Amino acid sequence: MNLLTKALLSSWDLRPEILVTLTVLGALHFAGWLKLRRRSDGRFANRWRLASYTGGIIVLALALLSPIAVLSSQLFSIHMVQHLLLMMVAPPLLLLANPFPTFLWALPDRLRAAVASTFRRLAVWLNRDSLLSRSALKAIAPASAWALYVLIFFAWHDGNAYSLALRFSSVHGLEHFTFIGGALLFWWHVTGAAPRFHTKPAQWLRVAYVLAMIPPNMLLGVALSFASTPIYPYYESVPRLYGLSVMDDQVWGGLIMWIPGSMMYVVAALVLLARLLVSAENESRIRRPHPPVMGLTHRPNRGGPTALACG
């Protein structure tokens, strides 16, 4: 391993505000998971949910604190890896754990009851027939979540906005906040995590919802890969690592967004399709009449009641 690679791999940006936030979120979830597991004898606190949530926290830490975060200001391709982790990997892992009920169980009893009551009142208000409640419900509906996700995705990859984020840490922090927030809203409708304020979309609609993100993602990836000039001049002003030119770096970044990025949505769609097929198979088994037992037939017994005899 050469000295440059060794130095880069040892460069961690351990920002206290992010480290503390992730630690608190992880500790609260684990505390709630343990309490819920004891109360339900393990029925509502599966180990795979804990693993999924922990994986999401680890992915966020890698994206925001590891050498990936450090190198994102030097290499555009690494920055695209960071965006992929923040929008397409960490959010679904966190939401698959259905963390909201688990967080509630981490709270003291009175506070948990107060928070649950607040969300019940919010759900009642959202279902009222008023302009404000209807507008709020539409603002977080699947179509709105999809549109917001695409808007955030394209807006921050605009050349001016992207360069601004790299030059000012506060803007960069806002970029990451909107990435994670928009992605959580998008994947919330895919995973069906609590709390739910809408009717849960049918499984095939969720498949279409996820697949509909592939064209915008591919569009950006193709545009980056086939651009004839640097789209982000910022990278021309920083030292080039490993002899990778600005244009080659941009091509690699576009390919990362194009192929692995699109594959994340394909994988999600395949998982949803698999669950749809399993559900359909289970329903068909329930409705399917049971076949007669081989070798046993009903044969009338003359002079007596019907007897069960071997055929």
Side-chain angles (χ1 to χ4, degrees), residues 5-37:
T5 302
K6 188 175 182 179
L8 291 174
L9 291 177
S10 62
S11 300
W12 287 70
D13 186 13
L14 301 179
R15 284 173 285 174
E17 68 276 13
I18 296 175
L19 191 59
V20 170
T21 300
L22 293 180
T23 302
V24 170
L25 289 175
L28 281 175
H29 185 270
F30 184 66
W33 184 85
L34 281 178
K35 191 172 182 181
L36 182 57
R37 187 172 178 82

Side-chain angles (χ1 to χ4, degrees), residues 73-74 163 166-167 230 232-240 246:
S73 61
Q74 301 291 323
S163 297
L166 285 174
R167 295 184 186 280
Y232 307 110
Y234 169 86
Y235 289 104
E236 296 180 290
S237 64
V238 297
R240 304 308 307 163
V246 173

